[in-house]
Amino acid sequence: MKRILSVVFFLFIGLLTQAQDAKKAKELLDEVSSKVKSYTNIVIEFKYTLNNPKENINQESKGNVALDGNLYNLNFMGVTKIFDGKKVYTIVPEDEEITITNYNANDENAITPNKMLTFFNSGYKYGWDELQNIKGRKIQYINLTPNSTKDQRKEILIGIDVQTKHIYTIIEVGKNGTKTTLTVNSFKT
């Protein structure tokens, strides 16, 4: 009987600790989201890496994005995307091609630079992960597990600069083993 009570006690303590960690993680992400929304405009330079050992793929590229509210100018992998509030202009100089599409505000699946800074607000289980010292900066990692079983991502790690409350890195691990990493090299407001 004593042994059963001990096991139940430790399970209860473990669940309580996990709930506190999830709450702490959500609070930090809310703080990051609130801070990002407070800026009038943002310019970010980033590095993107894609690694899939099964397919022997290892790519790295750089890009930048300027955000002003919902408006953006994104340069990535030789393509420029500009959103003026009504239309999205995709410019591919290599193909000498410009595509103009209407913006659909109701399309929840549309990935925009703005959503990259706040996508984590819902649809995930939160977990407090490790704190690392990277280049003299303290980076607190938050582990996100998608609630949807249809999501192709196994987990997402968001590294947050503890001092500035800005996102330093986003690491997505797919169910197929693909790992993508977006690292912020420069964040200016």
Side-chain angles (χ1 to χ4, degrees):
M1 183 70 170
K2 221 180 199 184
R3 188 175 196 171
I4 292 172
L5 284 175
S6 294
V7 169
V8 169
F9 176 74
F10 284 114
L11 283 173
F12 177 74
I13 294 298
L15 289 173
L16 185 62
T17 303
Q18 187 177 15
Q20 288 174 337
D21 285 350
K23 183 179 180 211
K24 197 165 48 167
K26 177 70 171 133
E27 286 173 354
L28 180 59
L29 289 172
D30 287 345
E31 199 174 339
V32 169
S33 183
S34 176
K35 189 160 190 179
V36 165
K37 289 177 183 175
S38 74
Y39 296 132
T40 305
N41 52 43
I42 303 169
V43 176
I44 300 172
E45 292 182 15
F46 59 89
K47 178 176 79 169
Y48 176 83
T49 58
L50 173 94
N51 185 292
N52 184 328
K54 288 180 185 175
E55 303 294 326
N56 199 24
I57 298 172
N58 196 10
Q59 292 178 302
E60 185 175 302
S61 54
K62 293 184 179 193
N64 62 64
V65 63
L67 301 164
D68 187 355
N70 285 332
L71 312 179
Y72 62 85
N73 182 336
L74 170 68
N75 296 296
F76 182 56
M77 298 181 86
V79 175
T80 299
K81 279 192 162 215
I82 301 169
F83 175 56
D84 66 1
K86 294 179 183 170
K87 297 190 182 292
V88 177
Y89 303 85
T90 305
I91 304 165
V92 185
E94 185 177 302
D95 297 338
E96 297 179 3
E97 179 179 279
I98 298 175
T99 306
I100 303 171
T101 56
N102 290 321
Y103 175 69
N104 180 359
N106 298 325
D107 184 2
E108 293 180 15
N109 295 324
I111 298 173
T112 65
N114 307 32
K115 287 183 183 178
M116 290 303 294
L117 298 172
T118 59
F119 75 92
F120 46 77
N121 287 333
S122 63
Y124 300 95
K125 292 178 192 142
Y126 304 97
W128 195 256
D129 213 280
E130 64 183 282
L131 176 69
Q132 290 185 354
N133 188 341
I134 300 174
K135 299 178 187 175
R137 299 162 66 184
K138 289 187 179 188
I139 306 298
Q140 176 63 56
Y141 283 90
I142 304 295
N143 186 303
L144 304 178
T145 306
N147 290 335
S148 171
T149 55
K150 294 178 182 177
D151 198 314
Q152 294 303 305
R153 298 169 296 182
K154 184 169 91 175
E155 70 176 345
I156 303 165
L157 285 170
I158 300 178
I160 299 167
D161 187 314
V162 174
Q163 182 180 354
T164 64
K165 302 293 191 269
H166 292 159
I167 294 174
Y168 170 73
T169 190
I170 299 172
I171 303 166
E172 290 186 357
V173 180
K175 290 178 181 174
N176 66 356
T178 299
K179 180 178 175 181
T180 58
T181 305
L182 183 113
T183 304
V184 175
N185 294 327
S186 163
F187 188 104
K188 298 175 186 168
T189 59

